[in-house]
Amino acid sequence: MINVLFVCLGNICRSPLAEGIFKELVKKRGLTQNITCDSAGTSTYHIDENPDPRSIAIALEHDIILNHLGRQINSSDFNKFEYIVVMDTDNYEAIKLVSGYPHYKGELVLMRKFDSLGRNENVPDPYFGADDGFKLVYDMLRRSCEELLEEIVKKHQL
Ligand code: 4NP
């Protein structure tokens, strides 16, 4: 089993949306027995909260139901996940400070490493912006999730 963790700051906007999109792609490819995913935040701000209503809405527009409660990344995640895919460089740096990270054997990567329309750029935080920010973020996450899945399929010969 390949396990993928998506990480942002609050775990209510970007990373639960990435989790929902990726899960849907995995399901469509018939790979639910091979690949799992989850999401987490680096902060404690929204623990046990539902995703932001704007993330829920943009997901629903694409027939994706988000089903996740906010949680904070912790040291046991480094043992569970082969891939930790992070939304921006601030959170990338924050993850490196979580206890246990120095022993991490998996891949810590930026989400948009997999986005041909903006390699290695940040997925902007849409929380304080207008609703159209969520559409932009959805499109970035969609492209990135598609390429990430291709990479995993190839690398692990699924
Ligand atoms: P996320 O967005 O990191 O994509 O979940 C945010 C959600 C909440 C806050 C910041 C970003 N906040 O400051 O509460």
Side-chain angles (χ1 to χ4, degrees):
M1 190 65 100
I2 309 298
N3 305 293
V4 181
L5 182 67
F6 297 99
V7 180
C8 61
L9 176 64
N11 193 212
I12 54 166
C13 297
R14 292 165 291 178
S15 62
L17 186 54
E19 177 194 345
I21 293 168
F22 193 72
K23 229 171 230 166
E24 189 69 17
L25 294 174
V26 166
K27 196 170 145 196
K28 274 194 188 145
R29 288 282 288 261
L31 291 170
T32 52
Q33 302 301 313
N34 307 86
I35 304 172
T36 72
C37 68
D38 189 12
S39 65
T42 57
S43 75
T44 56
Y45 303 156
H46 298 282
I47 290 174
D48 286 334
E49 290 182 23
N50 285 309
D52 187 286
R54 296 165 295 178
S55 283
I56 292 175
I58 194 82
L60 260 187
E61 279 180 35
H62 298 87
D63 297 319
I64 295 170
I65 292 169
L66 299 188
N67 181 15
H68 180 80
L69 292 179
R71 74 171 183 91
Q72 188 180 33
I73 186 170
N74 64 71
S75 57
S76 70
D77 290 321
F78 298 123
N79 299 321
K80 256 186 246 163
F81 294 95
E82 284 76 12
Y83 294 86
I84 298 179
V85 184
V86 56
M87 299 298 145
D88 60 39
T89 48
D90 283 354
N91 287 295
Y92 188 95
E93 293 307 317
I95 289 170
K96 290 182 175 176
L97 300 176
V98 176
S99 100
Y101 172 74
H103 306 292
Y104 184 48
K105 300 275 194 304
E107 289 196 43
L108 175 64
V109 288
L110 282 172
M111 177 93 255
R112 295 186 77 194
K113 177 185 179 193
F114 307 102
D115 184 2
S116 60
L117 299 187
R119 288 271 175 230
N120 288 316
E121 287 178 20
N122 289 334
V123 179
D125 180 350
Y127 186 63
F128 294 107
D131 283 2
D132 65 350
F134 282 75
K135 165 145 182 44
L136 272 173
V137 163
Y138 178 89
D139 291 341
M140 285 170 196
L141 294 177
R142 178 89 196 187
R143 289 191 300 270
S144 304
C145 281
E146 284 175 358
E147 196 176 303
L148 169 63
L149 182 56
E150 286 314 313
E151 161 141 336
I152 291 174
V153 164
K154 246 189 235 157
K155 195 162 172 184
H156 301 272
Q157 300 175 335
L158 300 175

